[in-house]
Amino acid sequence: MDKNEALYTFGTGENFHIQNYFGVHRDHEGDELGYVFRVWAPNAEDVQLIGDFTDWKDNPLPMTKNEAGVWEVFTTLAKEGQIYKYLVKRQGGQVVEKMDPVALYLEERPGTGAIVRTLEDKKWKDGLWMGRRKRFGFKHRPVNIYEVHANSWKKDEDGKAYGFAQLKEELIPYLVKMNYTHVEFMPVMAHPLGMSWGYQLMGYFAFEHTYGTPEEFQDFVEACHQNNIGVLVDWVPGHFTQNDDALAYYDGTPTYEYQDHHRAHNYRWGALNFDLGKNQVQSFLISSALFWIEFYHIDGIRVDAVSNMLYLDYDDGPWAPNQFGGNRNIEGYNFLRRLNSVVKHRHPDVMMIAEESTAATPITKPLNEDGCGFDYKWNMGWMNDILRFFSEDPIYRQYDFNLVTFSFMYAFNENFILPFSHDEVVHGKKSMMHKMWGDRYNQFAGLRTLYAYQICHPGKKLLFMGSEFGQFLEWKYDHELEWDNLKEEDKLNLKMQGFTSHLNQFYKDNKALWQIDDSYEGLEIIDADNTAESVLSIIRKNDKGDMLVCVFNMTPVERKDFTIGVPLAGIYEEVLNTELEDFGGVWKQGNPVTRTQPGLWKDYKNTLSFTLPALGASIWKVKRRLKK
């Protein structure tokens, strides 16, 4: 794409690689080699380039504005590694130093200067992974995600957070050991304050300096792929930091944000909302998404706070209805559809995930069915219901058993991911283990049962770091995980970690748990009415009809000679029991191989009887079928 076309398509919202035009690039004028700088500030009165090569404000370089509002200057003074900013005289006369919105690399915070740096194309060595990804996709494959905040997974002895060079050496072997299929990072794009966890972005193309270099993150992704692990990243196209040296009111007028003051301001989060209907903003954001997918070989993007982009009344501030009198943000809805259309056209094997908590808009329905076109949506309703249930005293669970069963009514209304995310283990909500009812032993028993239920319920899976070994304390963004829990004398955390690893491998090994995640063809309810005993029985199936019988006892009462109906006569073997000693339970061995008996049980003509562990899960498969 030549310069004229790049500029034109930026204005029409059809330039999806704006980083090739804006920012800083090696260039030449005549025989002179140097760098060209370009920035969009259509209503600025003046823009000058300042940096190490101008002694900052001492010798600023004047920039020239074209008809599209883009300021440009060529200079031979700049050198690789030097820092620069733009000195913008806003409409009204105020002069401010501004970061480069399309910078690929920023200095270490709290600085916001961009760095003159040419990022070279990497010679990737993940061709086998990328080929398999293109061939098999992900919809009918196992997806079990370990969610990570890069700054707090682990720290050095001096308290410095691991960068991605260290995470490559330690996190990837841990992911392999724990049998996860994917790792998802809270935002790794440049952000001014760690306290925001990365969700108040300022650099939509820049890798967060505290995590290392872009090349180190590329190497991390490559190593993940070589170990058969996919990499997902969180991305925030709805709102951005209101810091005055970043995108906020860049030229003194609403540049990236809405014209309307209330629509521009996100009162709940103290941020500014992108004007998602503006062509240039669409070019900017879609270019950002594609940059992370293409430059870093990312396997998926989780779009944060989708509700904020879909509904005018989502925020706490004043709002006005749209032209049809409703609360839908029409620009936001159309932007999300266009984002997914562009990404899926170019990269159909990349996962697009929405963090969205309402049911008013179809999120994963196809674009031709008025959906938003995402591949997956977080199932927030399931998450809230099941965590409320497992935190209750078992005495009362019989009265709230619908919290367990209601999700089967809408399990396939969307394509869901079942999340136990970072949001559930902060701000006084307690850690996953601490949410569980009872003493320490029963808390771990409940947690094992909960995770087994998550694995067996239709939908892909996500678990936040630390939850896999039952960390007791809430997550703190500036502290590493409580790895010392694994040294506790009772070894319950260590056994919990081992159980999660075993469960994750069990998930991968059994197609019935992931091959049909989007229809009732992969699910059969044996008994969802046993509220008195708080026991749920379901069947998961693969495309050949092979099945797993999954039984969950939600109370701390062992049930001998527990009987359920099953569709096939046969010899059944227990393939998972959450109460084994190796997992932290009290059973020395699981149930013996068991033969079904003829007999009518609900609509089933065969029964299976066994001992159901207290506050535990028992999962069975057919070892050998018997003739009728």
Side-chain angles (χ1 to χ4, degrees):
M1 185 182 297
D2 64 26
K3 295 176 184 178
N4 291 332
E5 186 181 359
L7 186 61
Y8 174 75
T9 52
F10 172 66
T12 61
E14 298 170 297
N15 185 338
F16 303 133
H17 294 88
I18 68 166
Q19 70 277 8
N20 296 333
Y21 176 73
F22 290 98
V24 56
H25 297 278
R26 287 176 181 159
D27 206 345
H28 59 86
E29 284 190 1
D31 295 331
E32 291 189 308
L33 295 176
Y35 290 88
V36 62
F37 296 77
R38 297 189 188 96
V39 64
W40 179 56
N43 296 309
E45 293 184 9
D46 186 44
V47 180
Q48 296 176 314
L49 176 66
I50 58 175
D52 291 336
F53 45 88
T54 69
D55 293 325
W56 290 95
K57 293 183 182 178
D58 289 350
N59 300 293
L61 298 176
M63 303 181 74
T64 303
K65 178 183 174 183
N66 65 25
E67 69 283 357
V70 176
W71 298 77
E72 179 176 330
V73 65
F74 171 83
T75 179
T76 59
L77 300 175
K79 300 289 186 291
E80 287 277 317
Q82 292 183 315
I83 300 172
Y84 71 94
K85 286 187 178 183
Y86 296 115
L87 195 63
V88 178
K89 186 177 183 182
R90 287 169 156 174
Q91 191 177 88
Q94 182 192 24
V95 178
V96 292
E97 293 184 14
K98 284 287 195 178
M99 61 167 282
D100 184 345
V102 191
L104 301 183
Y105 201 65
L106 295 174
E107 65 176 325
E108 191 169 357
R109 64 184 184 215
T112 57
I115 296 177
V116 179
R117 215 168 145 213
T118 303
L119 296 179
E120 304 294 340
D121 290 335
K122 176 179 174 63
K123 294 181 179 179
W124 289 87
K125 301 174 183 176
D126 61 350
L128 185 61
W129 167 273
M130 298 296 280
R132 280 202 304 260
R133 192 184 85 179
K134 186 174 182 179
R135 181 180 177 188
F136 297 113
F138 48 80
K139 293 205 179 223
H140 305 291
R141 301 289 301 163
V143 175
N144 189 7
I145 304 164
Y146 186 64
E147 187 191 24
V148 173
H149 177 249
N151 212 39
S152 57
W153 186 73
K154 193 173 280 190
K155 295 181 182 285
D156 287 332
E157 291 181 1
D158 61 1
K160 184 179 179 182
Y162 277 16
F164 271 90
Q166 291 166 293
L167 289 172
K168 175 185 170 185
E169 300 303 319
E170 292 200 33
L171 176 56
I172 294 177
Y174 186 73
L175 294 167
V176 172
K177 169 188 170 183
M178 295 303 296
N179 296 307
Y180 284 101
T181 66
H182 292 74
V183 60
E184 177 181 326
F185 290 100
M186 295 160 71
V188 294
M189 300 88 187
H191 48 278
L193 190 65
M195 192 179 296
S196 76
W197 312 339
Y199 292 102
Q200 297 274 19
L201 295 185
M202 62 179 179
Y204 277 77
F205 296 82
F207 186 67
E208 171 53 48
H209 196 293
T210 56
Y211 296 160
T213 67
E215 291 84 356
E216 287 170 342
F217 187 52
Q218 284 181 320
D219 290 345
F220 175 89
V221 174
E222 179 180 72
C224 278
H225 290 171
Q226 290 169 337
N227 284 277
N228 294 316
I229 296 165
V231 181
L232 316 174
V233 295
D234 287 6
W235 181 62
V236 192
H239 61 276
F240 55 94
T241 180
Q242 59 183 352
N243 290 23
D244 201 44
D245 53 355
L247 300 181
Y249 293 96
Y250 200 86
D251 61 13
T253 66
T255 310
Y256 292 90
E257 51 276 279
Y258 287 105
Q259 295 284 331
D260 179 89
H261 178 83
H262 292 307
R263 291 192 71 185
H265 283 77
N266 193 307
Y267 297 99
R268 181 179 299 185
W269 297 320
L272 292 168
N273 293 319
F274 279 107
D275 181 350
L276 299 173
K278 186 179 287 187
N279 289 340
Q280 294 88 343
V281 171
Q282 291 190 14
S283 285
F284 176 84
L285 289 172
I286 295 175
S287 293
S288 168
L290 289 176
F291 174 72
W292 289 91
I293 291 167
E294 294 166 354
F295 187 76
Y296 291 106
H297 280 203
I298 292 301
D299 302 288
I301 289 177
R302 193 210 69 152
V303 180
D304 183 66
V306 167
S307 295
N308 180 58
M309 292 182 276
L310 284 177
Y311 304 108
L312 297 168
D313 58 348
Y314 181 77
D315 196 15
D316 297 331
W319 70 281
N322 61 33
Q323 62 263 43
F324 304 108
N327 69 339
R328 174 171 283 179
N329 180 343
I330 294 172
E331 298 95 332
Y333 170 72
N334 288 330
F335 165 75
L336 291 169
R337 285 166 52 82
R338 189 175 195 203
L339 165 71
N340 286 318
S341 174
V342 171
V343 170
K344 300 305 285 186
H345 176 71
R346 288 164 169 76
H347 305 285
D349 51 341
V350 165
M351 208 181 298
M352 294 298 289
I353 304 166
E355 187 245 342
E356 207 274 328
S357 55
T358 75
T361 301
I363 299 299
T364 60
K365 297 294 182 187
L367 300 178
N368 60 7
E369 297 179 20
D370 293 328
C372 288
F374 282 96
D375 294 301
Y376 295 108
K377 170 184 175 177
W378 277 16
N379 194 336
M380 313 292 274
W382 173 87
M383 176 273 299
N384 281 302
D385 286 350
I386 202 66
L387 289 181
R388 179 182 158 196
F389 180 84
F390 269 84
S391 66
E392 282 187 341
D393 189 310
I395 292 174
Y396 306 110
R397 290 181 181 178
Q398 62 181 309
Y399 308 112
D400 287 322
F401 203 58
N402 64 304
L403 292 173
V404 176
T405 59
F406 179 62
S407 61
F408 294 120
M409 301 293 290
Y410 65 88
F412 308 111
N413 289 359
E414 301 268 14
N415 298 325
F416 284 119
I417 288 177
L418 309 178
F420 293 134
S421 75
H422 64 276
D423 278 327
E424 310 319 313
V425 294
V426 292
H427 301 322
K429 295 179 184 177
K430 302 180 181 179
S431 68
M432 289 295 292
M433 201 278 276
H434 198 188
K435 292 178 195 290
M436 300 296 106
W437 164 86
D439 58 17
R440 183 170 164 82
Y441 171 80
N442 279 300
Q443 285 180 317
F444 277 108
L447 197 60
R448 292 192 299 271
T449 305
L450 174 61
Y451 290 173
Y453 179 58
Q454 180 196 30
I455 286 292
C456 294
H457 192 289
K460 308 306 185 186
K461 329 296 175 186
L462 179 141
L463 187 66
F464 184 59
M465 63 180 196
S467 303
E468 76 277 12
F469 60 82
Q471 174 170 308
F472 182 76
L473 295 179
E474 280 191 341
W475 169 61
K476 298 182 181 68
Y477 77 93
D478 54 352
H479 289 69
E480 73 170 6
L481 297 183
E482 302 288 326
W483 295 107
D484 284 345
N485 286 175
L486 299 173
K487 301 174 185 176
E488 295 284 349
E489 201 169 318
D490 61 13
K491 296 186 178 180
L492 285 177
N493 290 99
L494 188 64
K495 289 182 177 182
M496 184 71 216
Q497 184 188 49
F499 169 77
T500 305
S501 173
H502 181 89
L503 184 66
N504 291 347
Q505 186 62 47
F506 179 77
Y507 170 68
K508 288 199 289 187
D509 290 342
N510 287 277
K511 290 184 179 181
L513 296 176
W514 45 260
Q515 197 171 57
I516 308 177
D517 259 338
D518 54 4
S519 81
Y520 286 104
E521 292 180 7
L523 171 70
E524 185 175 328
I525 308 294
I526 297 176
D527 187 12
D529 301 320
N530 190 348
T531 59
E533 294 178 308
S534 297
V535 176
L536 173 71
S537 310
I538 65 172
I539 295 172
R540 293 299 310 277
K541 305 172 187 177
N542 66 15
D543 60 6
K544 294 180 180 177
D546 299 328
M547 65 182 195
L548 288 177
V549 177
C550 312
V551 188
F552 306 94
N553 182 5
M554 314 292 194
T555 61
V557 179
E558 185 174 279
R559 306 192 185 280
K560 297 185 182 298
D561 295 319
F562 185 80
T563 300
I564 57 172
V566 290
L568 293 174
I571 307 296
Y572 282 68
E573 63 175 335
E574 188 181 55
V575 289
L576 183 69
N577 186 317
T578 61
E579 270 298 287
L580 294 180
E581 276 188 345
D582 286 347
F583 300 150
V586 294
W587 284 40
K588 293 189 180 299
Q589 60 185 24
N591 279 290
V593 171
T594 301
R595 183 189 184 105
T596 59
Q597 298 298 317
L600 191 62
W601 194 97
K602 288 194 171 185
D603 293 331
Y604 297 103
K605 296 180 180 180
N606 307 281
T607 62
L608 181 69
S609 298
F610 54 93
T611 299
L612 183 59
L615 202 55
S618 177
I619 301 178
W620 298 74
K621 69 190 289 187
V622 178
K623 187 174 183 180
R624 181 162 59 90
R625 294 190 181 194
L626 297 177
K627 293 181 180 180
K628 293 183 180 179

